[in-house]
Amino acid sequence: DTGVSQDPRHKITKRGQNVTFRCDPISEHNRLYWYRQTLGQGPEFLTYFQNEAQLEKSRLLSDRFSAERPKGSFSTLEIQRTEQGDSAMYLCASSLDPPRPNYGYTFGSGTRLTVV
Amino acid sequence: GEDVEQSLFLSVREGDSSVINCTYTDSSSTYLYWYKQEPGAGLQLLTYIFSNMDMKQDQRLTVLLNKKDKHLSLRIADTQTGDSAIYFCAEETGGYNKLIFGAGTRLAVHP
């Protein structure tokens, strides 16, 4: 297993379009997290899954955002009607359940979204 | 509430020690983490400390935790140019165990 994979690495879209990102976690990790990171800021928590169940959503996750993890493996994050303020790096992380501190939460390299 | 604060910038000379400070708010935090992010790269776990510990040493890294003041620090001994990066402090909140990050401290190492 090569770690957490995210696809695509970069996405440029026009305002108003829908975009979907994919995250493949480490295979034995039950938990999957989505974070958003804007320039000069730390990652902000968006949502997390335990297997296929979405257990928590941040108030940052507006109605235009939806995340799924249908079979408890990969996850998708969709943003509908994108706005310029959605431009950010979207990070996915996975962990064991519960997280083991020596392994931490393993992050992917992220998907950089630019809304023009 | 959940909030993590860090100073934004630190400049040190190569070979000196660096100390990056962090404060957090959630007294129920179980573990506290330090992550490193280099330009264009993802977050790399550096080290962590359990909330019941005061200190943890890992090679050049020393983590100090003052639980009463909710203050965490990361000391890097013999800082090298390769240590130049952004360092994030993160608290693992109680309950569902998610990470809450600070804004990051940019460490610049100069000759």
Side-chain angles (χ1 to χ4, degrees):
Chain A
D1 200 339
T2 56
V4 177
S5 299
Q6 292 189 246
D7 184 69
R9 290 294 305 272
H10 303 274
K11 178 71 177 178
I12 300 174
T13 190
K14 290 185 178 179
R15 189 175 51 182
Q17 297 294 304
N18 299 344
V19 294
T20 300
F21 311 140
R22 176 179 170 125
C23 171
D24 287 88
I26 292 173
S27 56
E28 60 265 30
H29 284 183
N30 303 96
R31 294 193 180 192
L32 186 147
Y33 307 80
W34 284 100
Y35 283 80
R36 181 176 69 187
Q37 186 177 20
T38 53
L39 202 60
Q41 298 297 317
E44 298 172 294
F45 170 78
L46 292 178
T47 188
Y48 108 91
F49 292 84
Q50 184 169 308
N51 298 313
E52 64 274 11
Q54 187 173 17
L55 293 188
E56 187 173 351
K57 293 196 291 186
S58 162
R59 63 182 182 279
L60 293 174
L61 214 65
S62 76
D63 292 344
R64 296 184 298 106
F65 288 69
S66 63
E68 294 182 343
R69 195 182 183 198
K71 297 181 181 177
S73 56
F74 73 92
S75 176
T76 58
L77 177 68
E78 182 184 15
I79 309 174
Q80 296 182 324
R81 305 181 304 281
T82 52
E83 302 172 356
Q84 286 189 321
D86 297 331
S87 296
M89 176 76 84
Y90 290 84
L91 296 167
C92 177
S94 69
S95 75
L96 294 167
D97 179 25
R100 309 287 194 272
N102 49 326
Y103 298 111
Y105 297 61
T106 304
F107 281 81
S109 297
T111 294
R112 182 169 295 284
L113 172 66
T114 302
V115 181
V116 297
Chain B
E2 304 158 342
D3 196 16
V4 178
E5 299 208 352
Q6 302 178 237
S7 51
L8 295 182
F9 188 74
L10 177 65
S11 177
V12 298
R13 186 171 295 172
E14 191 174 12
D16 287 351
S17 293
S18 307
V19 179
I20 301 171
N21 294 301
C22 168
T23 56
Y24 62 98
T25 55
D26 188 350
S27 57
S28 67
S29 291
T30 48
Y31 289 92
L32 295 131
Y33 294 82
W34 285 101
Y35 279 82
K36 176 182 181 182
Q37 188 175 42
E38 294 178 277
L43 291 160
Q44 173 196 349
L45 175 65
L46 278 181
T47 188
Y48 66 94
I49 189 166
F50 185 49
S51 57
N52 279 350
M53 295 172 63
D54 298 324
M55 185 181 86
K56 180 181 179 185
Q57 189 148 2
D58 185 359
Q59 300 181 337
R60 291 191 298 124
L61 305 178
T62 303
V63 180
L64 294 178
L65 175 60
N66 181 328
K67 193 173 181 182
K68 174 177 170 288
D69 294 337
K70 299 189 186 69
H71 182 267
L72 182 74
S73 67
L74 174 69
R75 179 177 179 269
I76 306 173
D78 187 25
T79 314
Q80 302 297 307
T81 54
D83 294 323
S84 295
I86 301 175
Y87 291 80
F88 292 97
C89 166
E91 62 173 344
E92 183 181 71
T93 64
Y96 289 128
N97 303 109
K98 64 180 185 286
L99 291 183
I100 302 297
F101 286 86
T105 299
R106 182 178 296 275
L107 174 65
V109 183
H110 56 87

